[in-house]
């Protein structure tokens, strides 16, 4: 039986939880999840992927990761539509798997996005040097931080609106790129029909064999990180039972359209042997190269401006996600209570300030000791996104098992993933391969590159230390299926 003190605490938590304002509309949710995937991974890194694995290899790697992400998102949507909370998979893991796993996933995800804010601040200064090389970097980074803070401080609706327009710019760019590319391929633009000739250049469509495709496979995973923001935003969504499934249904087709078609167009128009694809610079971004060939003036400047919006969007989303996760940890008693404070607009102000300060300190670390501390911080966060995805897969598998074990009717779920149990198992296996294969090259030389191993895998022991440390202190165990907490906000308000 639950003690009266525990019941009081739970009721106060539930009361506080309702302080978040459900102001995110369906269009906001769709753009938040979509905008999370479209960024520098597509605009810059896609060229390097084609250069190393050939157009066919890049398409295969991105398609496999895209399918895996779709399975993950349908599982997350099933849980989020049933139980829409800002803690998302941290809360789900704590309720359906093990409280310590939920604790570790929450802190892991907060750290991941807090450090991402620092990375975006550094990226803004590099982007601005394209136009104004003599202005100190700290000015642009500070301005960017202030903009992101204010967008998140004012209201969740303000965040949703800003993210909607940031994402819309990226979406329109990709659509224009794909249309322009196909007009060039068939010879309507540029006066020369290119067809499939570049798919047979050298070793194309596949170059470098299995290991090259595996390398792109890893990189593609990073490109898609951010789609899980949908789960975090569920806690502030209007009518989550309808809007979350709707957003998820659109994600797959848009991932397919934007990533697969864009890479297909680049592979057809630019031979993988072109060294410019490997540079990762704005001036040699595959998007810039294609727009220049189409005769679009100032293509590099246009793409630089679009990449700037992509970076602002990523930083903005990172600040939102990490703030909500930290707030939720405080509400659940896993972080200091003062972080659970909300302002009159339902924004977790203290969690926002702490997250911004951590991001700023991490960014300032890039100026000292040749950025060694910053590089280590960044490397420690590199694996965090995949660990979060693993948590989603495990939580969904256990959620459905518990739902059935407790005699509930599957037809009463607001949204039901059609790929269970294959979806979460497939996602778990793929994420496991990506995590373990982060730096497979470090094991393939004459001797093991221990420095490379440490740099690449540091995030894994850190996560395990938090999980097992909490488990040791709190003496938690895996929750039996018939004891998993499937109660929702509606149950508590009856």
């Amino acid at each position: 039986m639950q003690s009266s003190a525990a019941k009081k605490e739970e009721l106060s938590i539930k009361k506080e939880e309702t302080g978040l304002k459900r102001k995110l509309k369906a269009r906001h949710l769709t753009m938040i999840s979509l905008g999370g995937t479209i960024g520098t991974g597509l605009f810059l890194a896609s060229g390097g992927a084609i250069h190393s694995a050939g157009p066919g290899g890049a398409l295969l790697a991105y398609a496999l990761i895209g399918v895996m992400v779709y399975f993950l998102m349908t599982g997350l949507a099933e849980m989020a539509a049933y139980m829409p909370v800002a803690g998302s998979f941290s809360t789900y893991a704590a309720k359906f798997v093990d409280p310590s796993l939920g604790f570790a996933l929450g802190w892991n995800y907060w750290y991941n996005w807090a450090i991402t804010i620092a990375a975006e601040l550094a990226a803004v200064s590099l982007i601005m040097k394209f136009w104004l090389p003599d202005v100190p970097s700290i000015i642009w980074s500070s301005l960017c931080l202030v903009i992101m803070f204010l967008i998140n401080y004012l209201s969740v609706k303000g965040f949703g609106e800003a993210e909607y327009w940031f994402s819309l710019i990226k979406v329109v760019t990709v659509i224009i790129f794909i249309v322009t590319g196909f007009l060039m391929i068939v010879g309507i633009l540029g006066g020369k029909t290119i067809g499939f000739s570049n798919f047979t250049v050298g070793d194309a469509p596949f170059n470098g064999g299995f290991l090259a495709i595996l390398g792109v496979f890893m990189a593609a995973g990073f490109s898609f990180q951010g789609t899980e923001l949908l789960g975090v935003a569920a806690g502030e969504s209007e009518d989550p039972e309808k809007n979350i499934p709707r957003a998820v249904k659109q994600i797959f087709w848009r991932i397919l359209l934007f990533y697969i078609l864009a890479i297909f167009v680049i592979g057809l128009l630019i031979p993988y042997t072109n060294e410019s694809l490997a540079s990762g610079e704005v001036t040699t971004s595959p998007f810039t190269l294609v727009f220049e060939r189409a005769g679009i003036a100032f293509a590099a400047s246009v793409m630089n401006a679009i990449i700037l919006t992509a970076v602002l969007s990523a930083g903005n989303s990172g600040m939102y996600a990490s703030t909500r996760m930290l707030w939720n940890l405080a509400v659940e008693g896993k972080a200091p209570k003062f972080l659970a404070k909300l302002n009159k607009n339902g924004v977790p102000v203290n969690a926002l300030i702490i997250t911004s300060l951590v991001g700023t300190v991490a960014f300032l670390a890039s100026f000292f000791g040749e950025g060694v501390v910053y590089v280590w911080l960044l490397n420690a966060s590199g694996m965090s996104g995949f660990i979060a995805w693993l948590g989603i897969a495990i939580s969904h598998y256990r959620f459905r098992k518990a739902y059935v074990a407790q005699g509930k009717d599957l037809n009463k779920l607001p949204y039901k993933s059609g790929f269970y149990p294959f979806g979460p198992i497939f996602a778990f296996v793929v994420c496991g391969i990506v995590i373990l294969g982060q730096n497979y090259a470090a094991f393939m030389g004459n001797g093991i590159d221990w420095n490379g191993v440490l740099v690449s895998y540091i995030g894994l022991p850190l996560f395990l230390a938090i999980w097992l440390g909490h488990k040791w202190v709190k003496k938690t165990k895996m929750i039996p299926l018939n004891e998993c907490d499937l109660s929702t906000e509606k149950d508590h308000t009856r």
Side-chain angles (χ1 to χ4, degrees), residues 121-307:
L121 294 178
V124 163
S125 61
L126 292 173
I127 290 166
M128 293 308 296
K129 280 189 183 299
F130 180 88
W131 292 300
L132 300 161
D134 300 325
V135 177
S137 300
I138 195 77
I139 290 176
W140 300 122
S141 300
S142 302
L143 185 63
C144 174
L145 180 67
V146 169
I147 291 169
M148 291 190 305
F149 181 86
L150 288 175
I151 287 171
N152 278 271
Y153 178 79
L154 295 173
S155 71
V156 68
K157 192 174 181 182
F159 160 77
E161 208 59 44
E163 199 50 36
Y164 177 83
W165 291 105
F166 278 148
S167 296
L168 191 62
I169 291 168
K170 295 186 283 188
V171 168
V172 169
T173 301
V174 178
I175 291 171
I176 291 171
F177 174 79
I178 290 168
V179 172
T180 303
F182 276 113
L183 290 176
M184 291 171 71
I185 289 161
V186 298
I188 295 173
L189 269 180
K192 179 185 174 187
T193 304
I194 295 166
F196 283 81
S197 59
N198 286 325
F199 260 65
T200 55
V201 168
D203 294 330
F206 297 97
N207 175 56
F210 172 75
L211 288 178
I213 295 173
L214 183 63
V216 172
F217 191 69
M218 307 291 172
F222 286 99
S223 298
F224 285 119
Q225 284 187 12
T227 43
E228 75 289 333
L229 283 168
L230 182 72
V232 179
E236 291 168 279
S237 161
E238 282 184 358
D239 197 2
E241 291 187 4
K242 289 182 181 176
N243 290 340
I244 290 169
R246 191 182 303 162
V248 163
K249 285 171 185 173
Q250 293 171 349
I251 285 173
F252 179 67
W253 296 110
R254 294 184 183 193
I255 284 175
L256 195 72
L257 175 71
F258 295 131
Y259 267 92
I260 305 305
L261 279 183
I263 289 171
F264 183 60
V265 165
I266 296 165
L268 286 174
L269 289 173
I270 306 170
Y272 79 92
T273 50
N274 188 324
E275 292 297 327
S276 295
L277 290 176
S279 77
E281 296 293 326
V282 174
T283 49
T284 54
S285 155
F287 279 66
T288 305
L289 294 174
V290 169
F291 283 142
E292 281 177 346
R293 289 186 187 185
I296 296 174
F298 311 114
S301 283
V302 170
M303 275 314 301
N304 204 52
I306 289 161
I307 290 167

Side-chain angles (χ1 to χ4, degrees), residues 82-140:
Y82 176 79
M83 191 184 288
V85 290
S88 190
F89 42 86
S90 168
T91 300
Y92 304 146
K95 286 177 179 282
F96 313 143
V97 188
D98 168 26
S100 293
L101 180 63
F103 176 86
L105 281 172
W107 280 105
N108 166 76
Y109 197 66
W110 171 78
Y111 172 79
N112 177 31
W113 279 109
I115 298 303
T116 299
I117 293 168
E120 304 307 340
L121 294 178
V124 163
S125 61
L126 292 173
I127 290 166
M128 293 308 296
K129 280 189 183 299
F130 180 88
W131 292 300
L132 300 161
D134 300 325
V135 177
S137 300
I138 195 77
I139 290 176
W140 300 122

Side-chain angles (χ1 to χ4, degrees), residues 13-69:
I13 283 171
K14 288 295 169 190
K15 188 177 177 184
E16 199 160 8
E17 206 169 337
T18 57
L20 288 178
K21 309 291 185 186
R22 292 196 177 276
K23 297 286 187 182
L24 293 177
K25 300 182 185 297
R27 65 186 180 90
H28 293 143
L29 280 182
T30 302
M31 282 300 188
I32 285 167
S33 55
L34 188 58
T37 62
I38 301 174
T40 53
L42 179 60
F43 294 135
L44 296 176
S46 56
I50 292 168
H51 182 71
S52 60
L59 278 171
L60 179 63
Y62 273 88
L64 277 171
I65 288 287
V67 169
M68 184 271 286
V69 168

